[in-house]
Amino acid sequence: MFFMERNGARNIICLQKDNMKLEKNTVYKILKLFIISLPFVSFGLTIGEETPRTFCLSFLIILVLGVLIFVKGRGLILDATAKTFLIFVVIVLIFVYYRVYIVAGLDKSSHEYVKYFTQPVMLFFVVIQFLVLRSVLRDLDKRVIHKLIWFFIIVSFYVAVYSIYQFLALHYDLPFTDILRTSKSYRAITSELMKSGGWLSLPRACAFMPEPSFWGTYLLLPIGLMLPFVFGSKNNKIRCMFFIFLIAILLSFSRTAFMGLLFIGAIFVFYRMKYRSEMVKIINMCIIISVVAFILIVLFAPMEKWFFQRTITLGDWSALARIETQIQSFQLFLEHPVIGIGWGGTPYFLEGIHITTYNFYLQILLETGIIGFFVFMFFLYQVWNKLKIFESKIQSSEDKDMKNLAVGFKLSFLAILINWLNHTAYNLSYIWFIIALLTVLPNIYRNTEGNKK
């Protein structure tokens, strides 16, 4: 009888372990599918003909992950960082309600009312995405995170290869210049931009992104994650992949991406200054990149519209218009300093053809006022603090991969922050994949150490 009970208990324990392995395996596969969807920002389910609304594929995958969490009875786990983000969302909803119903008294059939309604809904999807990703990623250890990060880099690499072909195809009139972008609105907006180019009058690669600048700033994430591994190993495959990323970011001709690349490159050099041999490698790499970039410009750029004339002097309409719009946006903020004009209200307050501030921090300041701005800045500070806690814990570790991951995470987060200086896109899934991952790094460290014991 005793042996039967003991065998029965052992069978139950084995069954529970098998179920946990099966659950983790399922979550891991869904996370890989989510990562595959990240570069496909302009691919989704379009609803409606006259006013298309695109439901992003990555949101649909997150919905599946959320259902899996609740079916297993786990629920969403909130810490101080998640609570701060939720407080920011509550502030947004309160201020929008005040603007729409009390100050403006908008009619429900008006286009302005619809805009004030849809933007908080989008923010709600972002919150759900952030919370679901946190709840899933916090249970993983360093080994699985390492695999997921490299899977993200490899997926981005294949898309980067296509974007290089896209540039050549646009220049030489080859087929398949714009595939897997199903959003009607994005295709209509960027088709001519990709062909005619921007400040350099060359075709601009955008891969599957809404526009070339989105693609350029996306590439900063895999580049930031790879930098510590490129100069920390002798793996030629990694170096070749990194070189492809640099060519792809060059062919996006995004000034925001170039600025971000210089910034995270400078930060990385600062981290590695104590290693002279690695510094020499970095300098040599920079010289090679500069020579290749110059050769590509000479081969493809129209000589009558030379590179330095348009980049150094900022003598194109786009750059000057952005600066003028940002000045106007800050002046509007001074008129509504406390609670702002409401989330999504910028297009109805700016004069002229512009519907955005071209700066996410400025847009938060304008739409949520001082209160919302400081709450969101505190949220970003908490994310940074999580990263610093993780970094302090691994200082004594001999795990070189974990130390490289810490530096890569820091560079990718700084890339997101620098991107927001010239973009207002906050709802892109790859942004919240990185931010959610950073907020659970201390949990991942504990899981890793627990598995070792």
Side-chain angles (χ1 to χ4, degrees):
M1 185 69 178
F2 171 76
F3 289 107
M4 291 177 62
E5 290 179 356
R6 190 171 63 176
N7 289 335
R10 185 181 298 168
N11 291 335
I12 292 173
I13 292 173
C14 292
L15 183 61
Q16 289 175 343
K17 288 183 177 180
D18 291 341
N19 288 335
M20 289 176 64
K21 289 181 180 179
L22 179 62
E23 179 187 346
K24 288 184 177 181
N25 191 38
T26 303
V27 168
Y28 181 71
K29 288 180 179 178
I30 297 176
L31 279 173
K32 290 180 73 173
L33 185 61
F34 172 74
I35 289 172
I36 291 173
S37 73
L38 293 179
F40 299 90
V41 173
S42 188
F43 179 85
L45 306 175
T46 301
I47 303 171
E49 295 293 332
E50 297 181 0
T51 56
R53 294 282 183 268
T54 303
F55 189 80
C56 191
L57 180 61
S58 58
F59 282 3
L60 190 61
I61 297 172
I62 286 296
L63 181 62
V64 174
L65 264 178
V67 170
L68 182 62
I69 289 174
F70 281 105
V71 166
K72 297 298 180 180
R74 292 165 58 187
L76 300 177
I77 300 172
L78 303 179
D79 64 353
T81 309
K83 289 176 181 177
T84 301
F85 195 27
L86 288 175
I87 290 171
F88 173 74
V89 175
V90 171
I91 289 172
V92 167
L93 295 176
I94 293 173
F95 289 177
V96 166
Y97 178 85
Y98 178 79
R99 171 64 56 183
V100 171
Y101 291 100
I102 297 177
V103 176
L106 297 177
D107 183 78
K108 292 184 178 181
S109 61
S110 66
H111 185 271
E112 188 175 351
Y113 178 89
V114 174
K115 185 74 173 179
Y116 272 119
F117 174 77
T118 56
Q119 288 303 307
V121 170
M122 179 59 68
L123 183 60
F124 172 76
F125 279 122
V126 168
V127 172
I128 295 299
Q129 183 172 233
F130 172 68
L131 295 178
V132 169
L133 283 171
R134 283 189 76 258
S135 299
V136 171
L137 294 171
R138 73 188 304 274
D139 292 333
L140 305 179
D141 61 11
K142 191 269 300 187
R143 180 183 58 84
V144 179
I145 293 299
H146 191 271
K147 286 184 177 181
L148 287 174
I149 289 299
W150 276 103
F151 185 73
F152 169 72
I153 291 172
I154 290 170
V155 169
S156 303
F157 168 75
Y158 284 119
V159 180
V161 171
Y162 168 74
S163 74
I164 295 173
Y165 167 79
Q166 187 181 53
F167 170 81
L168 296 173
L170 288 167
H171 192 75
Y172 294 109
D173 197 24
L174 301 176
F176 308 114
T177 57
D178 191 13
I179 59 175
L180 296 179
R181 290 206 312 155
T182 59
S183 173
K184 299 177 182 178
S185 55
Y186 287 151
R187 290 179 70 93
I189 291 171
T190 59
S191 295
E192 291 302 318
L193 176 62
M194 290 167 57
K195 294 177 182 178
S196 60
W199 49 276
L200 200 52
S201 298
L202 281 173
R204 300 178 62 185
C206 72
F208 313 119
M209 294 285 173
E211 59 175 274
S213 61
F214 280 61
W215 170 234
T217 52
Y218 169 90
L219 285 169
L220 290 176
L221 298 186
I223 286 174
L225 292 168
M226 283 191 74
L227 262 173
F229 294 94
V230 171
F231 296 100
S233 70
K234 297 181 180 180
N235 192 323
N236 289 326
K237 289 183 179 179
I238 293 178
R239 293 178 179 177
C240 289
M241 289 175 63
F242 185 74
F243 190 67
I244 292 295
F245 280 128
L246 294 178
I247 295 176
I249 204 171
L250 171 67
L251 298 182
S252 72
F253 296 108
S254 168
R255 277 173 293 210
T256 305
F258 294 166
M259 180 174 65
L261 183 61
L262 289 174
F263 181 76
I264 64 174
I267 295 296
F268 178 70
V269 169
F270 173 78
Y271 266 88
R272 298 299 175 114
M273 281 181 67
K274 58 183 178 180
Y275 302 110
R276 290 189 177 182
S277 60
E278 292 192 0
M279 281 295 298
V280 171
K281 293 178 183 178
I282 293 172
I283 293 171
N284 290 337
M285 177 68 77
C286 291
I287 293 173
I288 294 172
I289 292 167
S290 301
V291 171
V292 171
F294 182 80
I295 293 173
L296 288 173
I297 290 168
V298 170
L299 290 175
F300 292 106
M303 295 303 293
E304 67 274 10
K305 295 180 179 177
W306 186 238
F307 176 76
F308 299 103
Q309 179 184 357
R310 303 195 70 186
T311 53
I312 296 177
T313 63
L314 294 176
D316 67 303
W317 175 85
S318 175
L320 297 175
R322 285 171 181 246
I323 295 172
E324 182 181 343
T325 302
Q326 290 170 357
I327 294 172
Q328 183 186 349
S329 300
F330 188 75
Q331 291 172 343
L332 276 171
F333 155 72
L334 295 178
E335 298 175 10
H336 310 271
V338 181
I339 65 172
I341 62 175
W343 192 260
T346 299
Y348 305 104
F349 283 80
L350 287 179
E351 297 177 359
I353 63 173
H354 299 284
I355 60 173
T356 178
T357 61
Y358 297 108
N359 184 308
F360 186 51
Y361 307 107
L362 183 56
Q363 184 152 332
I364 291 177
L365 195 63
L366 175 60
E367 296 184 348
T368 65
I370 287 288
I371 298 174
F373 177 79
F374 277 108
V375 172
F376 190 78
M377 291 301 106
F378 182 62
F379 165 72
L380 294 180
Y381 165 76
Q382 287 177 307
V383 176
W384 178 261
N385 193 47
K386 293 281 189 181
L387 181 54
K388 296 295 290 183
I389 292 172
F390 175 72
E391 196 174 34
S392 65
K393 288 181 178 296
I394 64 172
Q395 287 300 321
S396 59
S397 173
E398 297 181 359
D399 192 335
K400 191 174 182 180
D401 281 347
M402 187 173 282
K403 291 183 177 180
N404 285 336
L405 277 177
V407 177
F409 287 145
K410 181 171 288 188
L411 295 177
S412 61
F413 183 57
L414 291 173
I416 292 171
L417 299 184
I418 203 75
N419 288 347
W420 278 339
L421 288 173
N422 207 34
H423 279 291
T424 58
Y426 67 92
N427 59 333
L428 303 174
S429 295
Y430 58 82
I431 292 175
W432 297 101
F433 170 65
I434 296 296
I435 292 179
L437 182 55
L438 296 182
T439 62
V440 297
L441 284 177
N443 301 85
I444 292 169
Y445 176 80
R446 284 195 296 269
N447 296 340
T448 303
E449 292 302 309
N451 288 341
K452 286 181 181 178
K453 292 179 182 179

